[in-house]
Amino acid sequence: MATALLLALTMMGQAPVAPAATPPSDDYGYVAWCFGALGGYVDLYDQVMPEVTRIEKAFPGPDGVEASLKTYPEMRAQARTDMKIFTAAITAAERASPRPISEYGGAAVKKGRSVWTGADSANKARLAQVWMSWSPPGDCETRAKALEKRSNILGKALIYNAVKPVEPAPEPTVASMPEPEAAPPVEQAAPPEPVMTPAPSPAIEVETAIASPQASTKAEFVIDAADPKPCPGRLEV
């Protein structure tokens, strides 16, 4: 619808913006172009809404003015959601690419935003009419999701096939011996209290006299008849 309106306005010499630039054919460039074009649409919201409101009130739809005006904030919210999807796809593709492609993506974004070139100097009513009828290509979201999925798979394959450098083995470290812990002080036991023992009673010494009987022995003398000898001593009468 936007392309037809732009063509009609161009033929009348009243085209407010540049004709839609042809988006790149590859998915990465195409999604980047969609991001740029949709970003320009969101950025013009505050600028065109006063004129959009005037047009809706002048030409109310079958559901009334309030119902018509309610759709524009919803369209802006949906556009911001779609831009997050495009951003995720672009980021995944740049990470998975073996060579830098962000410069090419940036050029595609600028090409998409060029759809709205001349909006600042265009007639307010004409700009509002184009903005109200514009929408991004229907396959922007589909191609963005497909691009993100392929990029994530490719990124995992690149990580898997990458040769991991061999890291040198860490030098062995000698563990320091812990210092011996001081032995806990030994508590000295208190000396036992002296036990008071009763003094022994004085023993009664008993002297015992042991009498030894006097033994008297008498010497006996035998006279040998073959060799008689005088009897020693004296003869007692």
Side-chain angles (χ1 to χ4, degrees):
M1 182 182 297
T3 304
L5 180 59
L6 282 172
L7 180 60
L9 293 174
T10 302
M11 294 177 64
M12 296 171 58
Q14 297 176 344
V17 293
T22 304
S25 58
D26 63 286
D27 287 342
Y28 172 71
Y30 189 87
V31 173
W33 181 93
C34 293
F35 179 88
L38 195 57
Y41 169 85
V42 173
D43 291 344
L44 288 173
Y45 181 87
D46 293 334
Q47 180 179 342
V48 301
M49 276 308 297
E51 187 62 23
V52 170
T53 303
R54 186 193 67 79
I55 293 174
E56 290 291 355
K57 289 181 178 180
F59 306 96
D63 297 331
V65 177
E66 296 298 331
S68 298
L69 292 177
K70 184 180 179 181
T71 60
Y72 296 106
E74 295 175 352
M75 293 171 62
R76 180 178 62 172
Q78 182 61 47
R80 288 174 173 172
T81 300
D82 293 342
M83 291 180 68
K84 292 180 180 179
I85 297 175
F86 302 160
T87 300
I90 293 170
T91 303
E94 291 176 351
R95 289 179 178 176
S97 176
R99 58 185 179 84
I101 58 175
S102 58
E103 185 176 353
Y104 169 68
V109 171
K110 291 181 180 179
K111 191 175 183 180
R113 291 187 68 91
S114 67
V115 171
W116 303 101
T117 300
D120 294 337
S121 59
N123 179 273
K124 292 182 179 180
R126 301 305 180 188
L127 176 62
Q129 292 173 10
V130 173
W131 187 88
M132 292 167 64
S133 59
W134 185 88
S135 61
D139 58 347
C140 283
E141 181 179 354
T142 303
R143 295 181 69 168
K145 291 182 178 180
L147 174 63
E148 182 181 7
K149 183 178 180 180
R150 290 197 310 271
S151 299
N152 289 335
I153 295 174
L154 179 60
K156 292 179 180 179
L158 292 175
I159 294 174
Y160 179 80
N161 294 328
V163 179
K164 185 177 181 181
V166 179
E167 299 180 357
E171 297 181 359
T173 56
V174 180
S176 58
M177 297 297 294
E179 297 182 359
E181 298 181 357
V186 179
E187 297 182 358
Q188 297 182 356
E193 297 182 359
V195 180
M196 302 299 293
T197 56
S201 302
I204 302 175
E205 297 181 358
V206 179
E207 295 182 358
T208 58
I210 302 176
S212 58
Q214 295 180 356
S216 60
T217 59
K218 293 182 179 182
E220 294 182 357
F221 184 78
V222 179
I223 299 174
D224 187 2
D227 187 14
K229 291 181 179 181
C231 179
R234 59 187 181 85
L235 181 62
E236 293 181 359
V237 182

